[in-house]
Amino acid sequence: MPLPRPRERADLPYAPHLEPHEGRLRPSGDYDAVAFDDAGFDDAQAGDARFLECVFSEAAFSGGRYTRARFSDVWMHTVRWVGADLGETRWLDTEVIGSVLAGIQLFSSELNRVVFHDCKFDSVNFRGAALQEVSFVNCRLGEVDFAGATLNQVTFEGSALEGVRFDKARLSKVDLRGATQLGIKDGYDSLRGATISDAQLTIIAPMLAQVLGIEVKDR
């Protein structure tokens, strides 16, 4: 099955109406049809900000607090989020392409109809988050923590999971069959509601047996 392709900037219906951003980000800021191109933000304070029909291209965010910010119909391309606090944020109809998310907090966030294309996740905290209709396409998820999160209709086509945690997560219609690597650190007993392939079952069977207390021993 061919993987879904990301949209180009020119394909966005609001692309002709974008205005370039100037200045700093501010708490409770209201950004409508704004383009953040080649922008860099260090330790920005933008909690409760609202981003509607915005574009982020070649932008870099280092540190900073964006708690409870809202991203609606946003397109991000080649963006770096490093060490930022994005806890309790809301993401709706958002597309993230070729971006890096490292050491960031996304705990208790809500992601609805979000697609990540060719992104690299490193030590990202999704604890207690709610993911609805979220797709990870050709991504690398390293040390990503979904503990206590709710995942509904989430897919991982062409993505590698390395040291991912699902402890006490709640899964529904989660499709792991497209994952190229299924490296799960813990939470095997929380995989109810997920679909895996026969080959993947063979790989994780020893861990499942251990969690279920089944002793595997040849006579």
Side-chain angles (χ1 to χ4, degrees):
M1 180 185 297
L3 298 178
R5 297 182 62 83
R7 290 182 298 174
E8 298 292 337
R9 180 168 175 162
D11 298 330
L12 304 174
Y14 53 85
H17 310 294
L18 292 167
E19 296 290 339
H21 172 73
E22 296 180 358
R24 299 180 178 179
L25 294 174
R26 62 184 186 277
S28 302
D30 199 357
Y31 304 96
D32 193 343
V34 177
F36 299 85
D37 293 322
D38 299 306
F41 300 96
D42 294 328
D43 296 318
Q45 302 299 312
D48 296 295
R50 185 182 73 99
F51 301 90
L52 174 63
E53 295 187 342
C54 290
V55 161
F56 296 80
S57 180
E58 300 285 346
F61 299 83
S62 178
R65 291 178 58 85
Y66 304 87
T67 51
R68 296 180 300 280
R70 290 173 291 167
F71 300 86
S72 300
D73 205 355
V74 167
W75 185 86
M76 297 185 184
H77 195 293
T78 324
V79 175
R80 289 182 60 85
W81 289 96
V82 179
D85 186 351
L86 289 152
E88 302 179 74
T89 47
R90 305 291 181 264
W91 304 66
L92 175 65
D93 294 322
T94 293
E95 193 168 11
V96 185
I97 306 160
S99 298
V100 174
L101 299 89
I104 68 171
Q105 302 294 326
L106 277 161
F107 62 85
S108 301
S109 294
E110 295 181 7
L111 290 79
N112 197 342
R113 298 194 299 273
V114 178
V115 183
F116 296 96
H117 295 273
D118 303 299
C119 292
K120 181 180 179 181
F121 295 78
D122 188 5
S123 300
V124 175
N125 179 8
F126 279 107
R127 281 179 169 259
L131 288 74
Q132 171 80 27
E133 293 183 51
V134 175
S135 299
F136 298 91
V137 182
N138 276 344
C139 295
R140 175 189 173 274
L141 289 79
E143 301 296 329
V144 173
D145 192 349
F146 290 111
T150 300
L151 287 74
N152 186 26
Q153 299 181 61
V154 177
T155 61
F156 297 87
E157 287 294 328
S159 295
L161 281 65
E162 303 171 4
V164 175
R165 297 177 180 272
F166 287 105
D167 185 45
K168 297 182 180 178
R170 295 172 295 278
L171 278 58
S172 176
K173 298 181 180 178
V174 172
D175 196 340
L176 291 163
R177 290 174 296 177
T180 60
Q181 182 175 339
L182 198 58
I184 299 175
K185 180 170 288 187
D186 62 31
Y188 285 97
D189 53 345
S190 298
L191 293 180
R192 181 175 182 175
T195 301
I196 61 175
S197 67
D198 289 339
Q200 290 170 331
L201 177 59
T202 301
I203 294 171
I204 69 172
M207 285 71 78
L208 289 173
Q210 182 178 3
V211 168
L212 294 173
I214 298 174
E215 184 177 5
V216 180
K217 182 187 298 184
D218 292 332
R219 296 187 64 182

